[in-house]
Amino acid sequence: LKQSSFVCSHLRGRVYLRIASCDRFAMSPPVGTLHYIEQTLYKAEKALIVAKFNGLALDQKKFDAQKDARKPEFIAKNPTGKVPYLETDMGCIFTSNAIARYIARSRADTALYGKCFDDEGQIDTWLEFCTHELEVPLMTWVYPVMGLMDDIPKATADAQVDVKKALTALEGQLKSSKYLVGDFVTLADIALVCALREGFARVFDAAFRKAFPKVNAWFEGCVAMPQFNAVLGALKLCATAEKPQPVLKEFLPLARSEKKKEEPAKKEAPKQEASKVAAKAPALAAPIGDVAGAITAVGDQIRVLKEKLKAEGLSGKKINDHDEVKKLVAQLQEMKEGAAAVPAAPAAAPAAAPAAPAAAAAPAAGGDAEAQITAVGDQIRVLKEKLKGEGLSGKKINDHDEVKALVAKLTELKAKQ
């Protein structure tokens, strides 16, 4: 970067130090290593397309949730456990939008993050819209089609309604401008195109698309650009909406059907069944990490449903006792229990050794701890959302007694791992 210059721009009291244009920017070393999960690749594609627009290099590494998520070095550098994450010389950046923002802001001579302060505000608005108004309902609809989670017809139907609302808002915006923030591509366009890609490819058939001509033209125009095409490849629009598929084997928790099949056999021949379970242990190990994406998706479904019920006038116990909420919570708990129970299986394989049952106890404890950590983390997120709904924000939420107590509990659990 010998020929680089640095600019310091003052925007309403804020100071930004960003890399300005340089003749040899494309020859600079990679910004960092982008770790991603293959099944939710669209999240990483946001940053990859931004890098193409900015002429930056990014190393890529597929994240193996089963193996990598439990490594101490991963927890040490990325305590939240969020994937994708960008590993840089200065530390880790996690969540897809934060990574994309970081890459977009790395150059001051491109307009990916806007040309002025007001543009930045508009871009941030559409990024929040992408996450909360579009991605959550769209993935509730699409994930069952991809075999990443079970289909719940009522939840899917509600998600389809919410997706139409989001696309209607996009349609209105694109009637007045070529792109979301004016006449040039920004990070907002990139994030939304990446989120919509699976929808356009799998479930937005011609009849569905007909109601959104501006969105269609904008989407097809974006994906045809070389920067998009280099990452996304050629895209064939959906001809017939795909139907939900059985959940892929690697995303299955310990299924209820398997439990039911095991119970009668245990009554007839407990010793025989014990050896069969031990023999199956290696096959059950796969879902531990891979199911993480599905767990997150179901958690998102619960949050969206609760917000909807709250808007309809329900509150507190009535929301929690709602049939759809209870069904989703039961599904989430089953998935977490399945993920937590799997580590105990490999230790049970050497059934001939008398000490085998005792050896299995240690991994089981680890699984329990992992489940407890996840549960407390969920409690913290739900509580923070509740406090935010009550008007608290930022430091006041973090300083709330209940939040501090749960954070202390989470820290203690992690320290025992």
Side-chain angles (χ1 to χ4, degrees), residues 138-152:
L138 180 56
M139 296 313 156
T140 300
W141 181 5
V142 171
Y143 276 4
V145 169
M146 297 172 68
L148 302 184
M149 59 184 283
D150 287 321
D151 178 52
I152 299 176

Side-chain angles (χ1 to χ4, degrees), residues 87-383:
E87 188 175 3
T88 74
D89 291 340
M90 302 296 289
C92 287
I93 301 167
F94 58 89
T95 76
S96 60
N97 282 352
I99 297 167
R101 282 185 174 104
Y102 178 82
I103 303 300
R105 285 171 155 169
S106 294
R107 291 189 65 174
D109 61 330
T110 65
L112 284 185
Y113 217 82
K115 298 177 180 179
C116 64
F117 184 77
D118 289 331
D119 286 349
E120 290 187 9
Q122 288 299 314
I123 291 167
D124 283 336
T125 296
W126 286 109
L127 288 176
E128 292 298 309
F129 173 90
C130 180
T131 300
H132 301 292
E133 308 302 323
L134 180 64
E135 284 188 52
V136 171
L138 180 56
M139 296 313 156
T140 300
W141 181 5
V142 171
Y143 276 4
V145 169
M146 297 172 68
L148 302 184
M149 59 184 283
D150 287 321
D151 178 52
I152 299 176
K154 183 63 168 65
T156 300
D158 289 343
Q160 290 169 350
V161 171
D162 290 338
V163 169
K164 287 180 181 178
K165 288 180 182 177
L167 292 180
T168 299
L170 280 178
E171 185 74 11
Q173 178 68 12
L174 293 168
K175 284 179 180 178
S176 59
S177 61
K178 185 177 181 180
Y179 300 103
L180 290 173
V181 185
D183 60 354
F184 55 95
V185 174
T186 67
L187 176 57
D189 299 284
I190 294 171
L192 279 155
V193 165
C194 289
L196 284 166
R197 181 173 180 264
E198 292 294 349
F200 271 95
R202 295 176 183 273
V203 295
F204 296 172
D205 58 20
F208 183 90
R209 297 195 301 270
K210 187 176 180 180
F212 311 105
K214 291 293 184 181
V215 173
N216 295 335
W218 160 80
F219 179 83
E220 292 184 65
C222 286
V223 297
M225 294 180 184
Q227 295 91 338
F228 283 90
N229 187 263
V231 175
L232 302 179
L235 177 68
K236 184 178 179 180
L237 297 179
C238 172
T240 303
E242 297 179 21
K243 302 297 182 184
Q245 303 296 319
V247 179
L248 297 173
K249 182 179 178 181
E250 58 268 30
F251 279 82
L252 279 172
L254 189 58
R256 290 179 186 172
S257 58
E258 290 183 7
K259 291 179 181 178
K260 289 179 180 179
K261 288 177 183 177
E262 287 174 3
E263 286 175 4
K266 284 178 181 177
K267 291 178 182 178
E268 294 174 9
K271 291 183 180 179
Q272 242 182 352
E273 187 60 28
S275 64
K276 286 181 182 179
V277 172
K280 288 182 181 179
L284 291 173
I288 299 176
D290 293 339
V291 79
I295 289 175
T296 300
V298 175
D300 288 338
Q301 283 188 65
I302 294 172
R303 282 188 286 275
V304 170
L305 178 57
K306 284 188 172 183
E307 288 176 6
K308 181 181 176 183
L309 294 172
K310 185 176 180 181
E312 293 174 355
L314 275 67
S315 61
K317 192 172 184 296
K318 290 184 179 179
I319 291 178
N320 292 332
D321 287 343
H322 193 277
D323 289 340
E324 290 179 50
V325 173
K326 289 167 73 175
K327 185 175 181 180
L328 285 170
V329 169
Q331 182 183 353
L332 182 65
Q333 188 60 37
E334 180 185 357
M335 295 169 75
K336 287 181 177 179
E337 288 174 357
V342 171
D368 290 343
E370 190 72 25
Q372 290 175 31
I373 289 172
T374 302
V376 175
D378 288 340
Q379 285 182 297
I380 294 172
R381 281 188 290 274
V382 170
L383 177 58

Side-chain angles (χ1 to χ4, degrees), residues 8-160:
C8 188
S9 55
H10 297 262
L11 297 174
R12 297 188 184 181
R14 295 191 298 172
V15 180
Y16 294 93
L17 184 64
R18 294 188 277 185
I19 302 175
S21 61
C22 66
D23 296 334
R24 298 184 182 179
F25 203 95
M27 298 175 62
S28 62
V31 175
T33 301
L34 181 61
H35 300 258
Y36 65 93
I37 294 175
E38 186 175 12
Q39 289 82 1
T40 54
L41 182 59
Y42 81 91
K43 296 181 179 181
E45 286 171 341
K46 299 175 188 178
L48 295 173
I49 294 171
V50 171
K52 292 294 182 184
F53 272 97
N54 272 353
L56 299 174
L58 276 178
D59 286 335
Q60 302 172 48
K61 187 174 181 181
K62 183 178 175 181
F63 184 84
D64 187 329
Q66 177 191 350
K67 298 177 181 178
D68 299 338
R70 297 184 182 277
K71 291 180 179 178
E73 56 267 31
F74 167 67
I75 300 298
K77 64 187 175 186
N78 185 14
T80 66
K82 298 287 186 181
V83 182
Y85 69 97
L86 179 66
E87 188 175 3
T88 74
D89 291 340
M90 302 296 289
C92 287
I93 301 167
F94 58 89
T95 76
S96 60
N97 282 352
I99 297 167
R101 282 185 174 104
Y102 178 82
I103 303 300
R105 285 171 155 169
S106 294
R107 291 189 65 174
D109 61 330
T110 65
L112 284 185
Y113 217 82
K115 298 177 180 179
C116 64
F117 184 77
D118 289 331
D119 286 349
E120 290 187 9
Q122 288 299 314
I123 291 167
D124 283 336
T125 296
W126 286 109
L127 288 176
E128 292 298 309
F129 173 90
C130 180
T131 300
H132 301 292
E133 308 302 323
L134 180 64
E135 284 188 52
V136 171
L138 180 56
M139 296 313 156
T140 300
W141 181 5
V142 171
Y143 276 4
V145 169
M146 297 172 68
L148 302 184
M149 59 184 283
D150 287 321
D151 178 52
I152 299 176
K154 183 63 168 65
T156 300
D158 289 343
Q160 290 169 350

